Every structure is written in structure tokens, then in C-alpha cells.
Amino acid sequence: MSNDSQGLVKGEAAMMLAPSGSASSQGPPLSPSTASKAPELPDELVQAGWSKCWSRRENRPYYFNRFTNQSLWEVPVLGQHDVISDPLGLNAAPAEGGDSNLGNGQRKRRSSEEQGGGPNSFKRAKVEPTTPISPSTPGVKPWSSAPEDKQAQSATPTTPSPAPAPYRPAVIYWDLDVQTNAVIREQAPASHHLPPHPEIELQRAQLVTKLRQHYHELCHQREGIDPPRESFNRWLLERKVIDKGHDPLLPSDCDPVISPSMFREVMNDIPIRLSRIKYKEEARKLLFKYAEAAKKMIDSRNASPESRKVVKWNAEDTMNWLRRDHSASKEDYMDRLEHLRQQCGPHVAAVAKDSVEGICSKIYQLSAEYSRRLRQTHLSLLQDPPTEACASPPQSRLVYCYPVRLAIPSPPLPRVELHFENDMACLRFRGEMVKVNRGHFSKLELLYRYSCIDDPRFDKFLSRVWCLLKRYQVMFGSGANEGSGLQGALPVLVFETLNRQFGVSFECFASPLNCYFKQFCSAFPDTDGFFGSRGPFLSFCPVSGSFEANPPFCEELMDAMVTHFEDLLDQSSEPLSFIVFVPEWRDPVTPALTRMEGSRFLRHQLSIPAYEHEYRSGSQHICKRDEMYYRAVHGTAVLFLQNDAGFAKWAPTPERLAELTAAYRASSTRISSLSSPGPAHISPGDRDSAPKTSDRTQSNVLSPSGHDDNNNNNNNSSSSSGDSGSSSSSPRDKVSTV
């Protein structure tokens, strides 16, 4: 009995060690001369990598697979053994008549197999897929196939796998099927714009970032303050209204050199930035800091004796009042702060004027130098540098509007890498990555297909998308939610109503990232023209059509927009209509709104109350879905500017206006609507605790519309006129009518 058990143990050990532990299994197994006399394996097994070998220790044949390094005692059966799910071959079907040749080890293995079907078995039968997994299968990414998918496809070559299905966004925020009704005069290709190039765009991004750092350092060194929020972005907007230089982003030929927008914003934060406050202690600290900063500034600058006397007396009087009165309310502190600004503001502004003008001048000079440097580098990359050509005579033929065409052919572009991370498309060039969600990436593909005429095979598509995304990323800035106001858009329901009721098919201020229609005007014709842009609106001259205008809320840009509207309406006898959406600022009212309300082309004006409508985020191409919309914290004025023919065709009748109002009401009931991006949300009762002159500047941080971040300065432009920007009314009178 003992001998039998010992023999059984030896047999099991031999069975387990021979395939894995024998010397023959450590390398390609060697067959003895006797193995060659054994019958050959079927061709199917040989092609699968199987060969018959000899175990010297066990003195018996075994089978080895050179592809998988697998060893078996029994004859392998093709198609019934899977190395991954069954590495030991426990589920391999036995060869016919092979039972008599098997040892005790094999019989032991089969008995465990039969026991595996019990209730305690952990093995599961392998279920082979009946159809190959393809990228179009739901739940599988359509852009790339996993290794398992490729194995499954190759395992069934006779079954044709379907082509990858195009990515379809869950929610679409555009309608690219709307055809345009905008008619223009035929134009020659733009000869002063150079085709985009990733190398140049990367260098431009580095220079703009460097310019932002210079601006930050100058504000700290000369005035001891942080740069006003997004003032650099608004400076770019304001400069491009009058810039005659060649660079699409950096100003280089402006008159005047000193930017009114930048000067106004920096002066408004001197001697300290006034922030919104909610509690009495915050108001007390703010009043003390202002008095202390005004006194310190007037002592350290070259001020006149009269100015020094007035500022020091008022500052000391305020400090004595703070030490003496501890029972004052929040409104008392705010009234005292407003009084102090009225008394000290003009004198503080007078001593800071030269220094702030120096900041503005220095930033502009650096920008002009960077622009010249970029132009030289860009020309060196072109195969055929452009020559100075005389301006082409204006064409008389009327055509439907079409995207901007560049006269200079595009050079060969370097390779840009593309990969996908969850729902984001990531494009990388020289280590610099830009991202866009897959829905907007598919939108850019469609716009490129509709608009580009020099790249039918999409060889330059990724490079041009990288340049486009990098350009807007640089213009936005790197801060949290910074620049998103420059790209805000109306809700989808409002666009649908404008198209259905008023024939709107064109956006005057948009981009390939936030446009609703495939025809639009944008800031950068060199990068955006390949994706449908008709160029900057101030240089776009339509003869007829119905247009929507939702400009960035920059005072200088809105004023130039109104001038352009009136010129176009006055010159054309064809149906021409502009529906304009601007912030309804009434205290003080903006010049652009005043001009439109007094225009002879105004047919109707509609007011949408604050907190009862929303805008689409300027970061919609990268933000989360629940951050797509946010409510407006100020009212929006909707003005209809039309000539006689346009009024006859698209008149703002009560029925049409009711449809537009209902569209705003429907979009404002969205559950996912959020507050405007910025710090904390401020309730209507608390949002007017800041002094009046800085109210719009601070509301910029909290304002909703995609363009609201540009509004800060616009308000200040009317409230501050060269001096400290003080106001005559108290903060308590500044409560908004909502």
C-alpha cells in the first residue's frame, strides 16, 4: 500500500515538473532521435506552433508551442485550448483513444476537471463572442481599437467589420445646416495676413505670456498693486479696434499710444483695489486701508503742497474717526469711504498719472517690438515671401458671403500629435498641449470641410486646429475662468428663435469654438478663415442680410460697432437688419447704448431682466456640461437696428417678440444654470456694497455674459474722467433695480 502511494506521488510530481521545470522547457526543447520516428503532428498544429519533443527525465514525449512557450503531455487539440483563460490546459479536450496512454497524473487531472462542475467550483466556461468587437460597437471608443478588439477581429477574418462610426455629441450647441442670407461684394484674397504656422504660434504664445508678466511686474513695482482682473485682455481688444499693424494679436501700430482702457483700469485701483464687502468689519478695514494708502502715496510722490495738505488732513481725520466711533454701521463706513474718495481721489490721481501712463506706454512698445520680431521669423518660414502689392479695386459683383481666403499659400506644416483622453481631444506640438472636447472637435472637422479649399485631404487639419486653439488660449489668459467672458454666447433656443422669426443666419462676433451658424465674423482671419470666419466685423461690409451681434463688452469696441452699423444701414437699400445684445448699464449709461437708443434706425428695444436669463460659457469647448450655462447678473438690452427694407421684411412684431421672450424664459429655467464664473455668488442685496465708481469693475468678476468680463472698464470709462473716478452718490443709492 505504501509503495503504491509513493508511486502515485512520484507520478504527480513528474507530471507537474516535466513541462515547466525540466531542462528542455527552459529553452527551445530538443527532440531526441527517437522522437523523429513518432508520427508527425497535423499541419494545423504545426502551423499553430506545436512540435513533438522528448523529456529525458520522464523518458516520454510531450508537446511544446514555440509561440506561447506552452508544454503539454497530451496531444493538443486545436481551437479548444486558450492560454489566457486556461494556462495549464485543464479544460483541453482529450485526444481520441488517448486515455490508455496516460499516466496517473493525467487521470488525476481529469478527475479534478469533473469535480469542477460542482457548486464550489470557481471556474467558468468561456463564452466566445459570436460577432467581432468593432469601434462602432456601443461602449467602445470609435477613435482607437483596444488590443483585445484587434485580436477578435483577426480571429474572424471572414466576417467584415463595419467602419468606425463618426462621433456624435450628446448635446449639440450649433446648427451648421443654416444657409446664409448675407450678401457682400466680391473681395480679393487677403494679402496682408500670413498663413498660420505652429512654430510661429508657439513663439507668439511665449511672447504674449512674457508681456503679461511685464505688465504684472510694472504694476507691482510702480504702483504696488496687482493688475486689474483681465485688464490685459481688454487692452488687447481695445487696441485691435484701432491697430493697423500686421500681427493678428499683438498691437503694433496704434494712435494714441497710451490705451484709455488700460489707463482707466489701473487708475481705478489706485491707491488700493476696492472689493465688494458684505460685513461691517470688512468695510471698516477697507476704509482704514484706503486712508493709510492715500497718505503713504502722497508722502512718497512729488505732490504739490496743497495736494499733500488735503490728502493728509482727510486721511488723519478718517483714522481718528475710526478710533473714536466703534458703533458705526456698514453703511456709515461705506459713506465715509465714498467721501474720502471724493476728497482725495483727484489729488492721488494727479500724482499717479505720469507713472500709469509710463506703464501703458512701456507695454505698447514691448508689444510692437515682439510683433516686429514675429513678422520677420514668420516671413523666413514662407517659401515665397509676399511682395508689396497695390490694393485691388473694389468688386461690383454681389455674392453670398464666403470665408476669408488668404492670398499667400500655406507652407508645409509640421506634425501635430493627436490622442483622446476620455471626452477630450488632446493636440500636442513640441510639448505644448491644447485640449478641446470631442463634440467641438467634430464641429471643427465639419467647419473645416465646409470652408477650407486648399487642403482636401486634411493633411494640415491638425496643425491648423492646434494654431486655432493656441491662439484663443493665449488671448484668454491662464487664470481660472479668465477670458471666458470674451467668448460668451446666447442660448441655443434664442438662436433658433432668431433664425425662425427674424431670418438671422450670421453672427457678427463669434469664433469657430462658440459659433452657432457656420457663417460668422471673428477676431482672427488667419486662423479662423479655414473654419468659416468672414474676418473681423469692423472690416466686413454686407449689403443685405439679417445679423445677430453680441459683442465683447468693451466700451471702445461697442462704440466702433455702432458707427459701423449706422454706416452700413445708411448705404444699403437692400433688406438689412442687426439685432444687438448689449448690457443694460444705466448708472451711468454707456455711450454705445445711448447712441443706439437715439439712432434713426432703431425699430424696437427689448429689455431682459437680470437673473432671468443666461449665457453660454466662453469656455464651452473645454468646460464640463453642467458648467455650460450661467445666469446674467445684469439686464440685457436687445435692440433692433434695421433700414426700411429690413424692417419691412423682418419687422419686430409683437408675435415675434413674444417668441423671443419665451425662448429666453425657457432657457432660464434650465436646472443646470449656474452663477457667473468668478469668486462667490453675490445676492441682489449684497452686490452693491462697493463704491460706485468701481462697481462695474468689480461686477466684471461676477458678471455672467460671455463678454461681461470686458465690461469692467467700460463702466469705469464713463464714471472716471481722468481723475480718481469718484462719484457723487453714496453706495446705498447704487442698489440695482432687479
Side-chain angles (χ1 to χ4, degrees), residues 134-167:
S134 67
S136 60
T137 303
V140 182
K141 297 180 180 180
W143 292 95
S144 60
S145 299
E148 295 82 2
D149 301 343
K150 297 179 180 178
Q151 292 178 5
Q153 291 175 3
S154 61
T156 57
T158 58
T159 305
S161 59
Y167 178 79

Coordinates of all heavy atoms in Angstrom, one line a residue, residues 134-167:
S134 N -16.1 45.8 -32.8 CA -15.6 46.8 -33.7 C -15.7 48.2 -33.0 O -16.4 48.3 -32.0 CB -16.4 46.8 -35.0 OG -17.7 47.2 -34.7
P135 N -15.0 49.2 -33.5 CA -15.1 50.5 -32.9 C -16.5 51.1 -32.8 O -16.7 52.0 -32.1 CB -14.1 51.4 -33.7 CG -13.2 50.4 -34.3 CD -14.0 49.1 -34.5
S136 N -17.3 50.6 -33.7 CA -18.7 51.2 -33.8 C -19.6 50.5 -32.7 O -20.7 50.9 -32.6 CB -19.3 51.0 -35.1 OG -19.4 49.6 -35.5
T137 N -19.1 49.5 -32.0 CA -19.9 48.9 -31.0 C -20.2 49.8 -29.9 O -19.3 50.5 -29.4 CB -19.2 47.6 -30.5 OG1 -18.9 46.8 -31.6 CG2 -20.1 46.9 -29.5
P138 N -21.4 49.9 -29.4 CA -21.7 50.9 -28.3 C -20.8 50.5 -27.1 O -20.6 49.4 -26.7 CB -23.2 50.6 -27.9 CG -23.7 50.1 -29.2 CD -22.6 49.3 -29.8
G139 N -20.3 51.6 -26.5 CA -19.4 51.4 -25.3 C -18.0 51.3 -25.6 O -17.1 51.3 -24.7
V140 N -17.6 51.3 -26.9 CA -16.2 51.2 -27.3 C -15.8 52.5 -28.0 O -16.6 53.0 -28.8 CB -16.0 50.0 -28.3 CG1 -14.5 49.8 -28.6 CG2 -16.5 48.7 -27.6
K141 N -14.7 53.0 -27.7 CA -14.2 54.2 -28.3 C -14.1 54.1 -29.8 O -13.4 53.2 -30.3 CB -12.9 54.7 -27.7 CG -12.9 54.9 -26.2 CD -11.6 55.3 -25.7 CE -11.6 55.6 -24.2 NZ -10.3 56.0 -23.7
P142 N -14.7 55.0 -30.6 CA -14.6 54.9 -32.0 C -13.3 55.3 -32.6 O -13.0 55.1 -33.8 CB -15.7 55.8 -32.5 CG -15.9 56.8 -31.4 CD -15.5 56.1 -30.1
W143 N -12.4 56.0 -31.8 CA -11.2 56.5 -32.4 C -10.1 55.6 -32.4 O -9.1 55.7 -33.1 CB -10.8 57.8 -31.6 CG -11.7 58.9 -31.8 CD1 -12.8 59.3 -31.0 CD2 -11.8 59.8 -32.9 NE1 -13.5 60.3 -31.6 CE2 -12.9 60.7 -32.7 CE3 -11.0 60.0 -34.1 CZ2 -13.2 61.7 -33.6 CZ3 -11.3 61.0 -34.9 CH2 -12.3 61.8 -34.7
S144 N -10.1 54.5 -31.5 CA -9.0 53.6 -31.5 C -9.5 52.2 -31.0 O -10.5 52.2 -30.2 CB -7.9 54.1 -30.5 OG -8.4 54.2 -29.2
S145 N -8.9 51.2 -31.4 CA -9.3 49.8 -31.0 C -8.3 49.3 -30.0 O -7.1 49.5 -30.1 CB -9.4 48.9 -32.2 OG -10.3 49.4 -33.2
A146 N -8.9 48.6 -29.0 CA -8.0 48.0 -28.0 C -7.4 46.8 -28.5 O -7.8 46.2 -29.5 CB -8.9 47.7 -26.7
P147 N -6.3 46.3 -27.9 CA -5.6 45.1 -28.5 C -6.6 43.9 -28.5 O -6.5 43.1 -29.4 CB -4.5 44.8 -27.5 CG -4.2 46.2 -26.9 CD -5.5 46.9 -26.9
E148 N -7.5 43.8 -27.5 CA -8.4 42.7 -27.5 C -9.4 42.8 -28.7 O -9.7 41.8 -29.3 CB -9.2 42.6 -26.2 CG -8.4 42.4 -24.9 CD -7.7 43.6 -24.5 OE1 -8.0 44.7 -25.1 OE2 -7.0 43.6 -23.5
D149 N -9.7 44.0 -29.1 CA -10.6 44.2 -30.2 C -9.9 43.7 -31.5 O -10.5 43.0 -32.3 CB -11.0 45.6 -30.4 CG -11.7 46.1 -29.1 OD1 -12.2 45.3 -28.3 OD2 -11.9 47.3 -29.0
K150 N -8.6 44.0 -31.6 CA -7.9 43.6 -32.8 C -7.8 42.1 -32.9 O -7.8 41.5 -34.0 CB -6.5 44.3 -32.8 CG -6.6 45.8 -32.9 CD -5.2 46.5 -32.9 CE -5.3 48.0 -32.9 NZ -4.0 48.6 -32.8
Q151 N -7.5 41.4 -31.7 CA -7.4 40.0 -31.8 C -8.7 39.4 -32.2 O -8.8 38.4 -32.9 CB -7.0 39.5 -30.4 CG -5.6 39.9 -30.0 CD -5.2 39.4 -28.6 OE1 -6.0 38.7 -28.0 NE2 -4.1 39.8 -28.1
A152 N -9.8 39.9 -31.7 CA -11.1 39.4 -32.0 C -11.4 39.6 -33.5 O -12.0 38.7 -34.1 CB -12.2 40.0 -31.2
Q153 N -11.0 40.7 -34.0 CA -11.3 41.0 -35.5 C -10.4 40.0 -36.3 O -10.9 39.5 -37.3 CB -11.0 42.4 -35.8 CG -11.9 43.4 -35.2 CD -11.5 44.8 -35.4 OE1 -10.6 45.1 -36.1 NE2 -12.3 45.8 -34.9
S154 N -9.2 39.8 -35.9 CA -8.3 38.9 -36.7 C -8.7 37.5 -36.6 O -8.4 36.6 -37.4 CB -6.9 39.1 -36.3 OG -6.7 38.7 -34.9
A155 N -9.4 37.1 -35.5 CA -9.8 35.7 -35.3 C -10.9 35.3 -36.2 O -11.1 34.2 -36.5 CB -10.2 35.5 -33.9
T156 N -11.7 36.3 -36.7 CA -12.8 36.0 -37.6 C -12.7 36.8 -38.9 O -13.4 37.8 -39.1 CB -14.1 36.3 -37.0 OG1 -14.1 37.7 -36.6 CG2 -14.4 35.5 -35.8
P157 N -11.7 36.5 -39.7 CA -11.4 37.3 -40.9 C -12.6 37.2 -41.9 O -12.7 38.1 -42.8 CB -10.1 36.7 -41.5 CG -10.1 35.3 -41.0 CD -10.8 35.3 -39.7
T158 N -13.4 36.2 -41.9 CA -14.4 36.1 -42.9 C -15.6 37.0 -42.6 O -16.4 37.3 -43.5 CB -15.0 34.7 -42.9 OG1 -15.4 34.3 -41.6 CG2 -13.8 33.7 -43.3
T159 N -15.7 37.6 -41.4 CA -16.8 38.5 -41.0 C -16.3 39.9 -41.2 O -15.4 40.4 -40.5 CB -17.2 38.3 -39.6 OG1 -17.6 36.9 -39.4 CG2 -18.4 39.2 -39.3
P160 N -16.9 40.7 -42.2 CA -16.4 42.1 -42.4 C -16.8 42.9 -41.2 O -18.0 42.9 -40.8 CB -17.1 42.5 -43.7 CG -18.3 41.6 -43.7 CD -17.9 40.3 -43.1
S161 N -15.9 43.7 -40.7 CA -16.2 44.6 -39.6 C -16.7 45.9 -40.1 O -16.1 46.4 -41.1 CB -15.0 44.8 -38.7 OG -13.9 45.3 -39.4
P162 N -17.7 46.5 -39.5 CA -18.2 47.8 -40.0 C -17.2 48.9 -39.8 O -16.3 48.8 -38.9 CB -19.4 48.0 -39.2 CG -19.2 47.2 -37.9 CD -18.4 46.0 -38.4
A163 N -17.3 50.0 -40.6 CA -16.4 51.1 -40.5 C -16.7 51.9 -39.2 O -17.8 51.9 -38.7 CB -16.6 52.0 -41.7
P164 N -15.6 52.5 -38.6 CA -15.9 53.3 -37.4 C -17.0 54.4 -37.6 O -16.9 55.1 -38.6 CB -14.5 53.9 -37.1 CG -13.5 53.1 -37.8 CD -14.2 52.6 -39.0
A165 N -17.9 54.4 -36.7 CA -18.9 55.4 -36.7 C -18.4 56.8 -36.3 O -17.6 56.9 -35.4 CB -20.1 55.0 -35.9
P166 N -18.8 57.9 -36.9 CA -18.4 59.2 -36.5 C -18.9 59.5 -35.1 O -20.0 59.1 -34.7 CB -19.0 60.1 -37.6 CG -20.1 59.4 -38.1 CD -19.7 57.9 -38.1
Y167 N -18.1 60.3 -34.4 CA -18.5 60.7 -33.1 C -19.7 61.6 -33.1 O -19.7 62.6 -33.8 CB -17.3 61.4 -32.3 CG -17.7 61.8 -30.9 CD1 -17.7 60.9 -29.9 CD2 -18.0 63.1 -30.7 CE1 -18.0 61.3 -28.6 CE2 -18.3 63.6 -29.4 CZ -18.3 62.6 -28.4 OH -18.6 63.0 -27.1

